[in-house]
Amino acid sequence: MTIKEVVPNAQVRKGVMTGADADAGAEEVHYDLNGKVFTEVDFTMKQIYDAIPEHCFHPSMLRSLGYVVRDFFLVGSLVYAASFIQYLPSSVGRFIAWTVYTVVQGMVFTGIWILGHECGHGAFSESKAVNHSVGLFLHSFLLVPFHAWRLSHSKHHKATGNMEREVVFVPHTRESYLKTKFGKHADPEHSKFAEIVQDAPIVSIFKLFIHQVFGWPAYLFTAVSGPLYDVPFYKLNHFYFGEDGPYFGPKDTRHIIISDVAMAAMIYALYLFGQAVGHWNAILLYAIPYLMVNHWIVAITYLQHSDGALPHYHDNVWTFAKGATATIDRDFGFIGRHLFHSIIETHVLHHLVSTIPFYYSHEASAAIKKVMGKSYIADTDTNLLVALWRNQRNCMFAEESVKGSGILFYRNLHGKGMPPRQLTTAN
């Protein structure tokens, strides 16, 4: 018995290469999950670099440090303001005040994480020593192993959108998705899964909660959302400094140890902080806002790389320019531009040229859009949290929109957007 491909009605359009048309050399047309025609990359990296004004490539250490001072001033101001919450006469008022503090402080903490991210890319200063020193301080403050993250994140940038070499946000194939969800014996061609694969909203809410609160530490400790590495479980974390892990080589051991020591020092500092102000106050002032950092980092990065408009590529057709363009810009208004340092609004630029500091990113982004044309992808209309809910439910797995092309798009089995390729059995 063989498997025969049947092109869904929604894809039977002029230009799709199937059957006899493929043999005749008809042009391939790819459709994303939303049914829009995908425009392949037709620019060079030289064109991108040439389009960006020269000053955008040169970060100012003083200007960057100014943002660090500003963000920590906001942290201190919020902690000072929170010291008066205890004097509110109403328990309801105190609850509301602590909730506001948690949300706002979580956003400020996230901004500090993003400044550490700038350091990891060399976009904070032209000095490597300054980048590493400041980045280690900023990320350790948020319990992030800076050097370990910096090294694994570099691998992500070098293989973005590559189904075989990417290290994070690697989508399931249809087969791996169904086998993960229903067991290793699940038949990916069985039609019954189309009826039961969509979770009930309450289940989706629970999964989204787990994803948002525990996704970031799960990535640090277990390489979740990455490929299946053929190494023991304990070697998958960002704290393992052996030379046989998936992320780091012999030359990285010293940096991993430095990160681990800095993390231990921060944990001890938090213990002393709890001793000084009371452990419950330390939880309110630091630990709960820290959970908000987990939420924002996962939400931001997930939405940058998981969307119905984005392609993925098999290694044989992948190029750096294609992978760097397989991400999306969004708009989070004042918060995105002033607290999150434009990491949401100019992420496409960031993947093409990651050394440009965020305060030049809008200028540089406007310049490269003229070169990229229709291959630039953005969604500035959909609310960030609405997009998170939609994509978490609809972006189930990736498969080729044209068989054999090596270009994949998100699909699902519950009828949202473009359907996956239909497969039938034939004797």
Side-chain angles (χ1 to χ4, degrees), residues 181-198:
K181 191 174 181 68
F182 297 105
K184 64 181 181 179
H185 298 298
D187 182 356
E189 319 308 343
H190 204 298
S191 61
K192 71 176 182 179
F193 293 116
E195 302 173 3
I196 62 176
V197 74
Q198 186 175 25

Side-chain angles (χ1 to χ4, degrees), residues 207-274:
K207 287 184 175 180
L208 190 60
F209 172 80
I210 297 298
H211 183 262
Q212 293 307 112
V213 175
F214 300 106
W216 172 240
Y219 169 69
L220 292 179
F221 282 97
T222 68
V224 69
S225 86
L228 296 176
Y229 295 106
D230 187 23
V231 297
F233 178 78
Y234 69 90
K235 296 181 180 180
L236 291 176
N237 67 74
H238 281 69
F239 307 94
Y240 175 73
F241 50 80
E243 300 174 1
D244 53 348
Y247 294 132
F248 317 120
K251 68 181 185 304
D252 302 321
T253 300
R254 179 175 64 90
H255 286 115
I256 306 307
I257 293 174
I258 290 172
S259 294
D260 291 351
V261 171
M263 285 274 291
M266 182 60 194
I267 292 171
Y268 182 64
L270 288 172
Y271 169 76
L272 295 179
F273 179 61

Side-chain angles (χ1 to χ4, degrees), residues 315-362:
D315 192 48
N316 63 316
V317 299
W318 180 92
T319 66
F320 178 84
K322 288 179 179 180
T325 311
T327 183
I328 187 170
D329 286 346
R330 302 183 188 276
D331 190 347
F332 202 37
F334 177 89
I335 295 171
R337 286 172 170 77
H338 298 286
L339 293 182
F340 292 171
H341 306 299
S342 296
I343 198 171
I344 296 172
E345 289 77 12
T346 61
H347 197 68
V348 174
L349 164 78
H350 173 67
H351 265 271
L352 286 165
V353 190
S354 60
T355 56
I356 292 179
F358 72 90
Y359 40 81
Y360 293 142
S361 63
H362 286 278

Side-chain angles (χ1 to χ4, degrees), residues 269-308:
L270 288 172
Y271 169 76
L272 295 179
F273 179 61
Q275 292 286 91
V277 304
H279 293 298
W280 178 242
N281 285 331
I283 290 171
L284 290 173
L285 292 169
Y286 180 89
I288 300 179
Y290 169 80
L291 294 180
M292 292 300 296
V293 178
N294 291 354
H295 157 69
W296 284 120
I297 294 305
V298 173
I300 291 168
T301 54
Y302 173 78
L303 287 175
Q304 287 167 341
H305 300 284
S306 305
D307 190 89

Side-chain angles (χ1 to χ4, degrees), residues 48-307:
I48 292 293
Y49 275 89
D50 288 346
I52 298 172
E54 176 63 26
H55 69 271
C56 294
F57 294 100
H58 302 287
S60 164
M61 182 176 66
L62 290 178
R63 186 170 180 179
S64 297
L65 285 172
Y67 283 101
V68 173
V69 172
R70 187 206 71 171
D71 282 5
F72 274 99
F73 174 79
L74 291 176
V75 170
S77 298
L78 288 167
V79 170
Y80 178 74
S83 68
F84 294 96
I85 293 177
Q86 61 182 315
Y87 301 115
L88 294 176
S90 166
S91 60
V92 174
R94 291 193 294 272
F95 175 80
I96 293 173
W98 278 117
T99 300
V100 171
Y101 168 84
T102 297
V103 171
V104 179
Q105 189 72 289
M107 290 179 176
V108 176
F109 279 5
T110 303
I112 291 173
W113 188 100
I114 293 166
L115 291 177
H117 171 268
E118 292 274 296
C119 294
H121 282 288
F124 187 89
S125 160
E126 293 186 323
S127 166
K128 183 177 180 180
V130 170
N131 289 329
H132 285 189
S133 300
V134 176
L136 182 67
F137 170 75
L138 296 178
H139 271 190
S140 298
F141 173 74
L142 296 168
L143 300 179
V144 177
F146 172 71
H147 288 297
W149 164 84
R150 173 179 63 82
L151 293 165
S152 68
H153 190 65
S154 175
K155 291 180 180 291
H156 158 62
H157 270 260
K158 292 175 181 177
T160 305
N162 188 306
M163 291 291 289
E164 286 73 42
R165 296 194 293 112
E166 172 66 287
V167 297
V168 67
F169 298 120
V170 181
H172 280 288
T173 62
R174 186 199 320 215
E175 180 179 12
S176 69
Y177 174 80
L178 291 177
K179 289 187 176 182
T180 298
K181 191 174 181 68
F182 297 105
K184 64 181 181 179
H185 298 298
D187 182 356
E189 319 308 343
H190 204 298
S191 61
K192 71 176 182 179
F193 293 116
E195 302 173 3
I196 62 176
V197 74
Q198 186 175 25
D199 292 322
I202 189 65
V203 176
S204 292
I205 290 173
F206 175 74
K207 287 184 175 180
L208 190 60
F209 172 80
I210 297 298
H211 183 262
Q212 293 307 112
V213 175
F214 300 106
W216 172 240
Y219 169 69
L220 292 179
F221 282 97
T222 68
V224 69
S225 86
L228 296 176
Y229 295 106
D230 187 23
V231 297
F233 178 78
Y234 69 90
K235 296 181 180 180
L236 291 176
N237 67 74
H238 281 69
F239 307 94
Y240 175 73
F241 50 80
E243 300 174 1
D244 53 348
Y247 294 132
F248 317 120
K251 68 181 185 304
D252 302 321
T253 300
R254 179 175 64 90
H255 286 115
I256 306 307
I257 293 174
I258 290 172
S259 294
D260 291 351
V261 171
M263 285 274 291
M266 182 60 194
I267 292 171
Y268 182 64
L270 288 172
Y271 169 76
L272 295 179
F273 179 61
Q275 292 286 91
V277 304
H279 293 298
W280 178 242
N281 285 331
I283 290 171
L284 290 173
L285 292 169
Y286 180 89
I288 300 179
Y290 169 80
L291 294 180
M292 292 300 296
V293 178
N294 291 354
H295 157 69
W296 284 120
I297 294 305
V298 173
I300 291 168
T301 54
Y302 173 78
L303 287 175
Q304 287 167 341
H305 300 284
S306 305
D307 190 89

